[in-house]
Amino acid sequence: MSLSPERASELKQIIHNHLLKMNIHGRIREVLAETVREDHGAAHRSLSQADFLRALQHRGIIDDVMKDLQFTQEVLTDADPKPATHFVDKNITQLKKTNIDPSRRHLYLQVLGGKAFLEHLQEPEPLPGQVCSTFTVYLHFRNQRFRSKPVPCACEPDLREGFLLEIHREGTGEGSKMADGTTMLSLCDPVHLVLIKTDTSSETMLVSSYFLDWRVVLCSPNGKTCFAVELMGVGSECKVPAGVLTVGLELYPPLTDTLSADVISTQQSLERQRTAEKERLFLAYAKQWWREFLQIRPSHQSKMVKIFAQDENAINRPVCSYVHVLRAGRLLESPRQAARFVSLLAHEKAPVVGGGHKQEQWCTLMAFLCRGKGDCEDHATLLCSLLLGFGLDAYVCVGTKAKGTPHTWVLTHGTDGSITFWESLTAHRYVHRAIDPDAPPLAPQPKPTSPYRTLGCVFNHHTFRANCQPSDAVELCVFDFQNQSRWKAMSQEALKSVCAPGSTTSLPPLPPLCAPSLDPAAASNQLELELRSLVSEHRKDLDLATLWDDQLSYLLSSALSAYELERCSGVSCGNEEFQDAVRRAVPDGHTFKGFPIHFLHRNARRAFATCLRSPFCEEIVCCRGDHVRLAVRRTSARRDGRV
């Protein structure tokens, strides 16, 4: 019997609820601990999936589950049009099966529910099949990233998820030697929890960003503990509680000799003291450096020289700490692909209640990636990090655009002295050629090609330089960074003391980029069907019939591929073949009209509404005639959609 995706998801949800009611996770953990203890003395070997299933069957747990699990006929039939009574997650992630190595330490983190999300106190419970806003928890720990299933927003959201985190990462431990309590106590990497809200139009909002110190489990009996975590808001609401999550931690295998709570609190206190001392010394150095910079020229007071920036939790950090050497593995193949990827993350300024100046907020990389959008500073720091990973000499530039609007972009310094500006919001590149102010009046001068007007400072992960040239106009800037009369640099040792990875416990850990969990072909097909339905309904309201030409839809693929290639590489190719194919497909006496557009979401209604705002697209959708044929094609390129 085949089931629809909605029925399959409902069936999985019922089984999941039944297993939770039986406390199946606790029973499985008990069996797992017993099995490992029985096998631990014989030999060190990995516990396979088959061994574990035999142990469960031997103890009768599988029989108990199947005996109590019952389904009604209406759940199993696919013909019943009754809508699903559970929230259905359309972005289903295939979970990977893995064998647990009993010689390695693991941390099992459970989110056991939420409460006190008072913003949703009056929100009614969603009806079956109703589209609603959702909460999703994202997690990062020692180069491992996970996300929970989305659940409907509520005052007490049903956030229940478990994450198995490997503590042995980045070479922790010696060979097969298991990390002991002292070794784990020295691991100050926190678990970064990010809570994202997604509304009914697929817009995302950062609700909270929390750093959890997991080492409290080291002093817990049996290696288990459970506690409440108060999540605070972000930006201007960082002092306001957003809600509470109940979190359970379990160390596997548990420590033979647990540490005392005093030892852990003393270690945490020492780490905070060392971090505070380093930050105090750097702040004193930065103040002295700034005074020296102002003594060079009083007009420097008005330059865009930014040494510190606030993150989403309103914590001031040196701007250099937002940039890292980030390698994308095989996910991104070139610097220009990296620029295209960053430009596909939507641009949105930090939200602020009321008018006045915008709320400044430089997000941590994890929060930016989970939210999928951010301000120009977030885009610029991510692009600079990726370009550094590709071996380029890259810097983030802080300055202004036209009309004095503050802006950040990226600069790369070539080995031949060439300077290239990269706009992180659009992936456009501009080759910089400075104007010589001392040249004769009639001498030819290069025309500015970039939209940037002034430049105050440049920085990356280990360098900070302020522009101390007489004019901060970009067109007059000379990028000779070794010339101290033009660029005043901060001490690299001072920057390293607070910005280098692991230098302070207050630095957020660097998350890796992950492969997309979405199947682009399936998503494209689904969106095409939804767009076809919307177009047909719109034409039906105008008393127009709609005929779709599948062959013409297929031909549009080559045009979309050419557009995407041009965005990535700056080179236009492939349009000749598309034009020739269209000429052959369109009968004599007929006209072909196309409307290409790209968008950064997969909401069909939003996309269609955006298209109809264009008079040219509306003319195509509402076309009248005897032999009108319509076609739609959507293709994906990392976070890009085109119609």
Side-chain angles (χ1 to χ4, degrees):
M1 179 185 296
S2 62
L3 295 176
S4 66
E6 292 78 10
R7 288 295 181 195
S9 298
E10 181 179 4
L11 185 60
K12 291 178 182 178
Q13 185 67 43
I14 293 174
I15 295 174
H16 178 71
N17 293 340
H18 176 70
L19 294 178
L20 287 177
K21 190 181 298 183
M22 291 183 60
N23 190 27
I24 193 67
H25 293 95
R27 298 176 66 182
I28 288 176
R29 285 196 296 274
E30 293 174 1
V31 173
L32 184 60
E34 293 176 8
T35 306
V36 170
R37 281 197 297 269
E38 292 172 0
D39 296 344
H40 192 68
H44 288 282
R45 64 185 182 90
S46 296
L47 183 63
S48 67
Q49 181 182 0
D51 295 336
F52 188 47
L53 287 175
R54 280 195 296 270
L56 292 175
Q57 192 168 12
H58 178 69
R59 288 163 175 80
I61 292 181
I62 295 179
D63 293 337
D64 291 344
V65 171
M66 299 307 298
K67 180 176 63 177
D68 296 335
L69 187 60
Q70 297 178 354
F71 304 102
T72 60
Q73 183 66 24
E74 64 178 4
V75 171
L76 292 176
T77 179
D78 192 37
D80 187 3
K82 180 181 176 181
T85 57
H86 297 81
F87 171 76
V88 177
D89 178 17
K90 296 184 179 180
N91 297 328
I92 299 176
T93 303
Q94 296 296 328
L95 300 179
K96 295 181 180 179
K97 295 181 179 179
T98 182
N99 293 331
I100 298 177
D101 187 350
S103 66
R104 292 293 203 178
R105 294 280 186 196
H106 292 81
L107 179 68
Y108 185 52
L109 186 150
Q110 285 183 289
V111 179
L112 301 173
K115 57 185 178 180
F117 286 84
L118 301 181
E119 185 177 342
H120 303 277
L121 183 61
Q122 303 298 328
E123 194 158 323
E125 187 173 343
L127 299 174
Q130 179 184 1
V131 179
C132 60
S133 301
T134 60
F135 282 141
T136 307
V137 175
Y138 292 83
L139 181 148
H140 169 234
F141 177 67
R142 295 181 66 79
N143 218 37
Q144 303 161 85
R145 284 179 60 187
F146 300 94
R147 77 174 180 94
S148 70
K149 295 184 180 67
V151 301
C153 293
C155 182
E156 296 185 357
D158 190 28
L159 285 164
R160 297 183 181 273
E161 202 77 50
F163 308 97
L164 185 64
L165 309 175
E166 187 178 348
I167 297 179
H168 282 267
R169 303 290 284 192
E170 308 295 338
T172 304
E174 301 174 6
S176 60
K177 183 180 178 181
M178 186 177 294
D180 57 13
T182 304
T183 302
M184 289 188 288
L185 183 61
S186 65
L187 302 179
C188 56
D189 306 61
V191 177
H192 192 180
L193 298 172
V194 175
L195 182 62
I196 298 293
K197 176 183 175 181
T198 306
D199 65 16
T200 54
S201 60
S202 302
E203 289 287 347
T204 57
M205 183 180 73
L206 177 62
V207 177
S208 183
S209 175
Y210 184 84
F211 294 93
L212 173 68
D213 193 334
W214 57 276
R215 291 175 293 180
V216 294
V217 76
L218 300 178
C219 66
S220 303
N222 301 322
K224 299 180 183 179
T225 185
C226 183
F227 51 89
V229 171
E230 185 179 42
L231 302 180
M232 307 302 289
V234 295
S236 59
E237 301 177 14
C238 64
K239 304 295 184 182
V240 181
V244 176
L245 286 183
T246 303
V247 174
L249 297 177
E250 182 176 352
L251 195 63
Y252 174 81
L255 288 173
T256 306
D257 298 319
T258 58
L259 303 179
S260 70
D262 292 339
V263 170
I264 296 176
S265 62
T266 301
Q267 174 70 15
Q268 294 170 336
S269 177
L270 289 174
E271 290 172 354
R272 287 192 293 268
Q273 289 175 13
R274 285 196 295 264
T275 296
E277 179 64 14
K278 288 183 178 181
E279 292 176 344
R280 184 189 66 79
L281 292 174
F282 180 77
L283 179 59
Y285 167 77
K287 289 181 177 180
Q288 177 61 30
W289 181 91
W290 178 248
R291 285 193 292 266
E292 295 173 358
F293 181 68
L294 294 181
Q295 289 173 2
I296 297 174
R297 197 173 286 109
S299 60
H300 286 176
Q301 180 74 44
S302 61
K303 285 192 174 183
M304 297 282 292
V305 179
K306 191 162 192 62
I307 304 174
F308 296 93
Q310 285 189 351
D311 63 12
E312 65 266 22
N313 292 323
I315 296 176
N316 269 319
R317 296 198 283 120
V319 292
C320 293
S321 66
Y322 290 87
V323 180
H324 319 269
V325 179
L326 182 60
R327 298 179 180 87
R330 299 188 183 276
L331 299 176
L332 300 172
E333 298 173 351
S334 69
R336 298 198 184 191
Q337 259 196 10
R340 177 62 171 154
F341 163 72
V342 175
S343 70
L344 296 178
L345 297 169
H347 175 223
E348 181 179 276
K349 298 182 183 298
V352 60
V353 179
H357 296 290
K358 74 162 188 170
Q359 175 74 26
E360 184 187 68
Q361 180 177 300
W362 293 36
C363 283
T364 58
L365 181 55
M366 180 66 177
F368 178 40
L369 293 175
C370 295
R371 186 184 174 209
K373 58 185 177 182
D375 211 339
C376 58
E377 296 88 359
D378 305 320
H379 289 77
T381 52
L382 175 56
L383 178 57
C384 183
S385 299
L386 290 169
L387 296 183
L388 288 170
F390 278 108
L392 299 182
D393 188 20
Y395 302 84
V396 176
C397 301
V398 179
T400 62
K401 294 177 70 174
K403 299 181 180 179
T405 306
H407 191 64
T408 58
W409 65 97
V410 179
L411 170 153
T412 53
H413 196 292
T415 54
D416 58 354
S418 62
I419 299 296
T420 304
F421 295 143
W422 301 65
E423 177 50 62
S424 58
L425 299 179
T426 62
H428 291 166
R429 300 166 68 252
Y430 308 95
V431 178
H432 171 72
R433 294 182 177 85
I435 294 176
D436 184 5
D438 299 326
L442 298 180
Q445 296 278 17
K447 293 184 178 180
T449 58
S450 72
Y452 315 118
R453 294 294 174 262
T454 65
L455 176 60
C457 65
V458 299
F459 65 89
N460 57 22
H461 61 302
H462 62 70
T463 303
F464 184 94
R465 293 185 171 94
N467 183 3
C468 54
Q469 300 174 57
S471 172
D472 60 357
V474 170
E475 58 189 18
L476 300 177
C477 277
V478 177
F479 292 92
D480 180 9
F481 290 145
Q482 305 307 318
N483 190 335
Q484 297 183 4
S485 66
R486 298 181 185 274
W487 297 91
K488 181 173 175 57
M490 273 192 168
S491 166
Q492 289 194 4
E493 289 300 319
L495 291 170
K496 186 178 179 181
S497 68
V498 291
C499 297
S503 58
T504 64
T505 56
S506 62
L507 282 182
L510 176 65
L513 293 183
C514 295
S517 59
L518 190 71
D519 182 355
S524 296
N525 291 337
Q526 178 63 29
L527 187 58
E528 280 185 27
L529 292 176
E530 294 176 5
L531 286 172
R532 284 192 177 198
S533 175
L534 291 172
V535 172
S536 298
E537 291 177 4
H538 186 78
R539 289 176 59 84
K540 185 178 180 180
D541 292 340
L542 300 175
D543 294 328
L544 296 174
T546 305
L547 294 177
W548 294 100
D549 190 329
D550 293 335
Q551 175 61 17
L552 183 58
S553 297
Y554 181 72
L555 296 182
L556 294 176
S557 298
S558 60
L560 299 179
S561 176
Y563 296 150
E564 183 60 29
L565 181 62
E566 184 178 2
R567 290 292 185 97
C568 288
S569 64
V571 178
S572 177
C573 63
N575 281 324
E576 299 83 0
E577 293 85 353
F578 168 68
Q579 293 173 5
D580 184 69
V582 168
R583 291 191 186 99
R584 293 176 179 275
V586 177
D588 292 340
H590 290 69
T591 302
F592 170 81
K593 289 184 178 181
F595 179 72
I597 185 173
H598 83 273
F599 45 91
L600 306 179
H601 57 82
R602 292 181 290 114
N603 189 300
R605 291 192 177 277
R606 282 177 59 195
F608 186 58
T610 301
C611 292
L612 287 181
R613 283 199 287 268
S614 167
F616 192 79
C617 182
E618 186 181 19
E619 179 185 352
I620 296 174
V621 172
C622 304
C623 181
R624 298 175 180 268
D626 294 334
H627 301 284
V628 176
R629 298 291 186 272
L630 298 178
V632 62
R633 193 67 170 176
R634 192 263 192 187
T635 185
S636 298
R638 289 173 175 88
R639 288 187 55 88
D640 184 35
R642 288 181 178 273
V643 175

